[in-house]
Amino acid sequence: MATTTDTNNYKFNHSMLRVKDPKESLKFYEFLGMSLVKHLQFPESKFDLYFLGYNSPQALSHGNSTFDRQGVIELTHNYGTESDPNFKVNNGNAEPHRGFGHVCISVDHIQAACKRIEDAGYKFQKKLTDGRMKNIAFALDPDGYWVEIISQKKGSKGAEDPEEQGVETDPKTYRMNHTMIRVKDAEKSLKWYQEVLGMKLFRTVEQPAAKFNLYFLGYPGDQGIPEDGFSADYEGLLELTWNYGTEKDENFKYHDGNSEPQGFGHICVSVDNLDAACARFETQNVNWKKRLTDGRMKNVAFLLDPDGYWVEIVQNERFTGKENF
């Protein structure tokens, strides 16, 4: 195992969401083609963790260990919430608790994929045919988290694409493409994710008329950075949404998902050498939520990004040859 750390080996491993009823949530994400790759139970602390990822032979992380993957969704279930009629998660999209925005699945045939989701009885925040943007949809998971649906086909016109009509969709080909969080100061966040975590900027979408920009970051890995910016065939990207002017308001703050009301919990990066990575973070004067040496769990650390979102740091098992848990 390496005694140094190289950010080229890092992976945007997972995004964590708290859920009310794991049976319903597992059913939904498995319907979208994901597989349960690890289930961790902590009965003494009264919570379970479910790690879901795409694992068919076509999947980019097929056969990899849990923390040697990108595009994983971690569902956290605190015992008893499923039978509490008053329990409801914060989906991150309602004022005054906005912060986390959505996860995104890229699909082979977007019309057929959206029809399949609707036919199964799931609701939409935005159907493919709604509004001006006919090439994206937002489904709602059982807790009301937004799940964006985009096409893997370059230039797809979505609802208005004749080539999308009359074809079937295969969930085994889907990808967990990205996770979106809103940031107060784009310049600070871009610098932090690139310099501290070693991510690369894949694509920028500027919408001056609507007064917001989108920035897509990730770890290039074997695929490299897309030359034309098209990234729907990737997994495990991070989308930063910046609404113009928030950086100038000293009182403005996004909700981190971990203060009440809770919902989204964290994103997670897996690294080649956990001790060396954390030592490197120390030299960059990062803000820690939890150092490796804090608390009982000595194999995870948590950084705080410029907006106070939690970023978990874990060991990529490929470099140690043993399971983390």
Side-chain angles (χ1 to χ4, degrees):
M1 180 176 154
T3 52
T4 56
T5 189
D6 181 351
T7 57
N8 290 314
N9 293 324
Y10 291 12
K11 292 190 172 188
F12 176 13
N13 177 248
H14 71 255
S15 303
M16 186 276 261
L17 304 174
R18 296 175 178 89
V19 299
K20 177 183 173 90
D21 186 337
K23 286 182 184 170
E24 292 300 318
S25 297
L26 285 168
K27 183 180 166 189
F28 173 82
Y29 287 102
E30 287 173 345
F31 182 76
L32 291 182
M34 301 186 93
S35 300
L36 183 64
V37 292
K38 185 175 279 293
H39 178 201
L40 295 175
Q41 297 172 289
F42 298 93
E44 69 288 351
S45 301
K46 298 184 177 175
F47 72 89
D48 283 4
L49 309 177
Y50 302 84
F51 293 86
L52 293 137
Y54 285 98
N55 205 32
S56 76
Q58 297 104 305
L60 294 175
S61 292
H62 169 64
N64 289 17
S65 58
T66 307
F67 298 100
D68 186 28
R69 291 173 166 268
Q70 298 203 106
V72 172
I73 293 177
E74 175 191 359
L75 304 179
T76 294
H77 171 235
N78 294 295
Y79 298 177
T81 54
E82 71 283 3
S83 55
D84 179 354
N86 297 315
F87 180 85
K88 190 176 188 299
V89 304
N90 163 29
N91 74 1
N93 290 303
E95 294 290 7
H97 306 299
R98 293 204 313 160
F100 165 77
H102 60 259
V103 293
C104 173
I105 307 293
S106 67
V107 301
D108 54 354
H109 299 294
I110 195 164
Q111 285 185 25
C114 288
K115 183 178 186 304
R116 178 176 174 271
I117 294 167
E118 189 173 2
D119 287 350
Y122 293 112
K123 294 184 171 67
F124 281 77
Q125 178 66 28
K126 178 204 173 298
K127 292 185 180 179
L128 201 58
T129 50
D130 293 343
R132 287 181 303 169
M133 298 182 74
K134 308 292 188 190
N135 61 338
I136 61 169
F138 283 90
L140 293 171
D141 91 344
D143 284 284
Y145 290 115
W146 295 12
V147 180
E148 185 178 16
I149 312 294
I150 63 172
S151 176
Q152 291 172 4
K153 187 180 136 197
K154 197 182 295 184
S156 170
K157 296 183 177 65
E160 298 173 342
D161 196 332
E163 292 180 23
E164 291 278 2
Q165 293 169 10
V167 292
E168 293 187 1
T169 186
D170 181 1
K172 292 195 293 293
T173 65
Y174 295 1
R175 302 254 157 100
M176 210 304 270
N177 179 252
H178 71 256
T179 296
M180 187 276 263
I181 54 175
R182 299 175 179 93
V183 299
K184 173 176 177 168
D185 188 323
E187 195 175 324
K188 281 184 183 173
S189 294
L190 286 167
K191 186 174 193 286
W192 194 85
Y193 279 99
Q194 290 176 95
E195 292 185 4
V196 174
L197 289 185
M199 289 185 175
K200 301 288 190 281
L201 182 61
F202 280 38
R203 181 164 64 108
T204 300
V205 179
E206 297 183 346
Q207 300 280 9
K211 298 184 178 177
F212 70 87
N213 288 0
L214 311 175
Y215 305 93
F216 292 85
L217 299 114
Y219 295 107
D222 295 336
Q223 281 177 287
I225 297 173
E227 289 180 18
D228 58 1
F230 183 75
S231 57
D233 53 346
Y234 284 71
E235 64 181 6
L237 301 182
L238 179 67
E239 177 187 3
L240 304 181
T241 294
W242 169 56
N243 292 294
Y244 299 178
T246 51
E247 76 286 0
K248 295 171 185 161
D249 181 353
E250 61 182 58
N251 296 316
F252 185 88
K253 191 175 188 299
Y254 281 117
H255 192 278
D256 66 7
N258 291 305
S259 48
E260 295 294 343
Q262 294 185 322
F264 163 80
H266 61 260
I267 59 172
C268 174
V269 171
S270 67
V271 299
D272 49 4
N273 182 300
L274 189 55
D275 290 324
C278 288
R280 176 181 166 273
F281 294 139
E282 286 283 8
T283 68
Q284 293 171 307
N285 299 313
V286 298
N287 290 321
W288 295 92
K289 179 66 184 176
K290 177 201 175 300
R291 285 183 165 86
L292 273 183
T293 50
D294 296 341
R296 285 182 303 168
M297 296 183 78
K298 307 297 185 191
N299 59 346
V300 298
F302 282 90
L303 308 177
L304 294 172
D305 89 343
D307 284 279
Y309 294 116
W310 297 14
V311 181
E312 185 179 18
I313 307 296
V314 298
Q315 176 66 50
N316 181 333
E317 300 149 323
R318 177 163 54 91
F319 293 90
T320 59
K322 61 182 183 185
E323 294 271 325
N324 287 345
F325 297 96

